[in-house]
Amino acid sequence: MTPSTSFSFLILLQLSLLSCISSVSGTTRKTYIVHMKHYHKPSIYPTHHHWYSATLKSVSTSNNSSSYSLLYDYTTVFNGFAVSLNPKQAQTLGSSDSILGLYEDTLHTLHTTRTPQFLGLQNQTHSTFFMDETQDLRDVIIGVLDTGVCPESQSFDDSLMSEIPTRWHGECESSIDFNPSFCNKKLIGARSFSRGYLTANAGSYVRKPIDISSPRDRDGHGTHTATIAAGSAVPNATLLGYATGTARGMAPHARVAAYKVCWTDGCYASDILAGIDQAIIDGVDVLSISLGSASALYHHDTIAIGAFTAMEKGIFVSCSAGNSGPRRGSVANVAPWIMTVGAGTLDRDFPAYASLGNGKRFEGVSLYGGEGMGDKPVGLIYFRERSNSSSSICMPGSLEPEIVRGKVVVCDRGLNGRVEKGSVVRDAGGVGMILANTAASGEELVADSHLIPAVAVGRSAGDAIKDYAASDRNPTAIISFGGTVLDVKPSPVVAAFSSRGPNGETNQILKPDVIGPGVNILAAWSNTIGPSGLSQDTRKTHFNIMSGTSMSCPHISGLAALLKATHPDWSPSAIKSALMTTAYTHDNTYSPLRDAAGEGEALSTPWAHGAGHVDPQKALSPGLVYDASTHDYIAFLCSLDYTLDQIQIIVKRPDLNCSTKFDDPGQLNYPSFSVVFGSKSVVEYTRTLTNVGAGGSVYDVSVSVPSTVGITVNPNRLVFGEVGDRQTYTVTFVSKRGVDDSVTSEFGSIMWSNEEHQVRSPVALTWTEL
C-alpha cells in the first residue's frame, strides 16, 4: 500500500468510525471552526496544538461523550482549529473563556484566446509594456483556491520558465491519481483540503469515488480559472471549433499553485481556511478565489478572515462577486481588503439562429459542435398550457416522447442546468432545443456546448417564439449555427448574472470594485470530464468556454500579478486602487456601459460595474493611488458595531484596541465613494492620495453628480513635490432631495486629472428612510 493510499484509507476509517459513533449515540456531529485567544495559552503547553488537544480532551471528558475529531490546526489565518463535535460538546467548548468565537462550518459555492486582445495585452509576450519579460514576473506566484488542477494541460508548459524561486515553500501532493512529478516550473504547487467535506459527508465517501483526496481537478472549474490567470500561451486552442486562436493567461509567465478546496457538493469553510492558511505559508503573492456565499458579518466570513491575514502579509486577494444578479444587494465577498470582481462580456460572440415557419429569424448563441439539423423544417412545440409546469422548463422526466419525438422543443431557462434541458429533450426523442430567457435573465445570452442542436435566445425573442408556437396550427423551426464572430458591438456589457450592490454588510463601501471579462471565456479544461460537465457527456476537449464571475476574478488576479511584478513595492490596496481608478465606463461604441439585465439600451450603474471595466494598460501608470494600511482597516472595523472580541477574530492582535476609529466607515481611504443620507443631510469624507507618477505633478478635480446633491472638494488642486508624496482632500456631500422625491439612489464621480492621468472614483448616493 502506497503512502497516499494509506492516508486515504486512514481518513476513510476515521470517518467510518465517526459515522458509527454518531449513529450509536443518536447525536449528529458537525464541524465547528474555533477561534482561540492564543495569548491565553498556559505555559505548561509547549505549542498551541498541545493546548488545543488538551482543551478538546477536557470537553469530551466533561460530557462523558465520544472522542472529538480534530480536522485542522490553523496557524496563520488565525489561531484556532476545526473540529468535529456533537452539539453538547460544542456548547461546552463555546462557554470557555479561552474561546473568541465558535461557529458551524458553512458551505460556499463556485461562481461558475480573445481576452488578452480585448484587454490590450495582445503583444505582451514581445513587448516592454509591462516589463521586458524579466525575472520579476517569473517570480510572482498566483495561488488558486478552487477544484484542483489538471497538470497535463498544455497551459502549464514550463519551457519558458526559469528555476523556481528559493523563497517558495509549497509542494505538490502525492495521491492515488496525482504524482508530484506532474508539477513543473510553471505549476509549482498542488495541494488538497478535504477534511471538512469528508466530515460533512461521513459515511457517503465510498459512494462518491470521484471525490478522492487529491489535487486533481475532476470538475474542470479549477483548471479553467488557473489558466485564465496565468496559463502559458497555447496556439490553435479551441472548443469544438469555436474561438480558435492562442489561449493565454493574463500573466503567462507567472507561476501557479493550486489549492483544491471544492468538492462535489461545494466548498466548506474549514477547507477554504486551511487552503488560505497553507497558501500564505507557502509564499504566494496573489490569491484568486472564485467562490463564495451570501455576504455575512466580517467576523463570520471565512474568506474575509483569511484574506485579512493575506493582506497584512502583502498578498493581493481577488474574489468573484457572485452570480446572483441582477438581484439588488446580491454581491458577495464585500470586505474592503478584498478586490471584488463582477463580470462583463467580450467583443466575441457565437451566433446561432432559430428560423421559424412564419419567416421570422431570431439570433441567439450556441457552442453546439455536432452535426446540424439540415435545411428541412421540423415541428416546434412549447408546453405553455400543460398542467405539468415542469414541462415548460424541460425538467428531467417531464417531456412525453410521443409528443416531442422529432421536434424542436422550446425550454424556458431556470431551475435545472441549461445543457441538461437539451439532454432531457434528446432523451424524449426531440431533435433540437430553443432555450428561452425569462424575466430573470433578460436579454443576456450565455453560450453552452449543447448535446443536441440548440440555440439560446433572449427574453423578447423567446416570447415571440413561444407565441408563434402557441398560435400557429403547424409551427416549425430550423436551428443553424454561425461559428465565431469578433468585434461585436457594444462591448463590454455588464452580465445579467453578475451580482449587484449595494454592499449588504457596509453600505458605505461600494461593491463590486470592478468588472472584467466573464462571459464565454476560453481556457484550459480537465481531461476527466466533458465540456458540459454532465456525466452523460462523453466528449473530451483540452479547452472549454465558460461564463461567470468565476471567470472574471482570475482575469484580475493575473493583472494584479503583472502590476505586482512591475511595482513590487506597491501594497495590495495600491494595486487595487490602480485597477479601479483607471477603469473605463464606456463601451467600444463610446457610449456608457450597458446592462444586459435591462431592456433595450438600459445603462449600467456602479452597483453593477463598480469603478468600471479594468484597463491594464492604464493601471500600470495610474499617477495617484489611494493606499490603505492594516491600521486603516482596523480603524474601519472599529467604526462598525462589533465587539473587540469580534474584531479580534479578524485582526488577531492581542493588544487590539479601538482608540483610533473612524466616525463613519466611509472614511476608509477607499478608491470609491458610497454616500448614505440617513439621519444626516450632510456627509463629509477625507481621502489621501499618494503620488506614484512623476515628481512635481499637479492635479485638478472635476465632479459629476446629480442635481439632488451638492458637492464641494477642498482643495480643488493637489500639488505633489516628489514620488511618494501624499496629499489629503475633503469632499462634502449635501442632500438637496425634496421631501416628496421618490428617488432612493443616484450616481456620479470625482476625478483628479492632469495631461497624463485621470484618477476617477465612482460615487454612489443613497437615501434611506429614518
Side-chain angles (χ1 to χ4, degrees), residues 182-201:
F182 294 162
C183 291
N184 56 23
K185 291 180 288 186
K186 175 69 172 180
L187 178 63
I188 64 174
R191 300 181 187 264
S192 66
F193 302 87
S194 59
R195 296 175 190 172
Y197 160 73
L198 295 175
T199 303
N201 291 274

Side-chain angles (χ1 to χ4, degrees), residues 623-627 688-697 699 718-728:
L624 306 173
V625 295
Y626 293 90
D627 209 349
T688 299
L689 283 162
T690 302
N691 182 28
V692 293
S697 296
Y699 289 81
L718 298 177
V719 180
F720 297 88
E722 303 291 339
V723 176
D725 275 2
R726 295 158 63 90
Q727 296 292 336
T728 297

Side-chain angles (χ1 to χ4, degrees), residues 482-555:
T484 303
V485 175
L486 304 180
D487 299 320
V488 172
K489 295 180 179 180
S491 62
V493 175
V494 178
F497 62 73
S498 189
S499 289
R500 312 304 170 96
N503 184 334
E505 293 310 310
T506 313
N507 208 345
Q508 296 86 349
I509 300 296
L510 179 60
K511 291 286 183 170
D513 292 312
V514 292
I515 60 170
V519 178
N520 298 334
I521 305 301
L522 178 75
W525 192 244
S526 173
N527 55 15
T528 64
I529 191 168
S532 70
L534 297 178
S535 58
Q536 62 265 42
D537 188 353
T538 59
R539 299 171 296 180
K540 299 299 178 187
T541 179
H542 297 298
F543 292 86
N544 200 4
I545 292 173
M546 297 181 71
S547 299
T549 55
S550 277
M551 284 64 250
S552 53
C553 167
H555 278 91

Side-chain angles (χ1 to χ4, degrees), residues 333-667:
N333 296 318
V334 297
W337 48 89
I338 289 173
M339 185 75 161
T340 310
V341 187
T345 63
L346 291 175
D347 60 345
R348 177 182 66 193
D349 212 348
F350 309 104
Y353 308 94
S355 300
L356 308 184
N358 62 2
K360 293 184 179 180
R361 185 178 190 236
F362 295 93
E363 182 175 341
V365 295
S366 181
L367 292 170
Y368 174 69
E371 292 185 8
M373 289 180 54
D375 299 328
K376 184 179 180 180
V378 301
L380 176 70
I381 187 169
Y382 173 62
F383 295 96
R384 170 180 287 172
E385 303 298 337
R386 298 184 64 83
S387 59
N388 182 5
S389 61
S390 62
S391 298
S392 66
I393 55 175
C394 301
M395 294 291 286
S398 67
L399 303 183
E400 300 176 33
E402 58 270 21
I403 300 177
V404 169
R405 189 174 294 113
K407 293 184 174 68
V408 170
V409 181
V410 181
C411 300
D412 284 330
R413 187 170 164 180
L415 290 187
N416 58 332
R418 300 184 300 270
V419 177
E420 183 187 33
K421 294 176 188 292
S423 178
V424 171
V425 172
R426 183 187 64 175
D427 293 345
V431 297
M433 176 183 69
I434 298 174
L435 180 64
N437 280 4
T438 60
S441 44
E443 299 304 315
E444 174 187 61
L445 297 178
V446 178
D448 294 297
S449 52
H450 294 281
L451 297 172
I452 62 171
V455 55
V457 298
R459 180 189 180 186
S460 58
D463 288 347
I465 293 169
K466 287 183 285 189
D467 287 343
Y468 164 71
S471 61
D472 195 280
R473 282 188 165 189
N474 183 32
T476 61
I478 300 174
I479 297 175
S480 57
F481 306 94
T484 303
V485 175
L486 304 180
D487 299 320
V488 172
K489 295 180 179 180
S491 62
V493 175
V494 178
F497 62 73
S498 189
S499 289
R500 312 304 170 96
N503 184 334
E505 293 310 310
T506 313
N507 208 345
Q508 296 86 349
I509 300 296
L510 179 60
K511 291 286 183 170
D513 292 312
V514 292
I515 60 170
V519 178
N520 298 334
I521 305 301
L522 178 75
W525 192 244
S526 173
N527 55 15
T528 64
I529 191 168
S532 70
L534 297 178
S535 58
Q536 62 265 42
D537 188 353
T538 59
R539 299 171 296 180
K540 299 299 178 187
T541 179
H542 297 298
F543 292 86
N544 200 4
I545 292 173
M546 297 181 71
S547 299
T549 55
S550 277
M551 284 64 250
S552 53
C553 167
H555 278 91
I556 274 60
S557 305
L559 296 179
L562 292 171
L563 291 176
K564 193 172 185 70
T566 310
H567 302 286
D569 57 331
W570 281 11
S571 69
S573 59
I575 293 174
K576 175 196 280 191
S577 176
L579 289 165
M580 289 178 66
T581 61
T582 58
Y584 58 85
T585 57
H586 286 74
D587 60 30
N588 57 3
T589 68
Y590 306 102
S591 298
L593 291 177
R594 293 169 172 85
D595 189 340
E599 296 288 343
E601 300 293 308
L603 299 182
S604 176
T605 75
W607 281 349
H609 62 244
H613 193 287
V614 288
D615 185 337
Q617 297 191 42
K618 291 184 177 179
L620 172 70
S621 179
L624 306 173
V625 295
Y626 293 90
D627 209 349
S629 67
T630 300
H631 292 290
D632 294 324
Y633 289 120
I634 293 174
F636 162 80
L637 288 168
C638 287
S639 72
L640 307 178
D641 191 22
Y642 290 178
T643 66
L644 280 177
D645 278 355
Q646 290 169 337
I647 298 173
Q648 182 75 263
I649 289 174
I650 305 165
V651 175
K652 304 165 285 290
R653 295 191 177 190
D655 57 347
L656 174 70
N657 65 71
C658 282
S659 57
T660 301
K661 61 184 290 187
F662 298 136
D663 295 331
D664 181 319
Q667 287 285 11

Side-chain angles (χ1 to χ4, degrees), residues 33-37 78-80 98-103 305 649:
I33 296 172
V34 184
H35 297 259
M36 299 287 283
K37 297 177 180 177
F78 64 86
N79 294 101
S98 298
I99 303 297
L100 265 178
L102 178 150
Y103 53 91
I305 293 168
I649 289 174

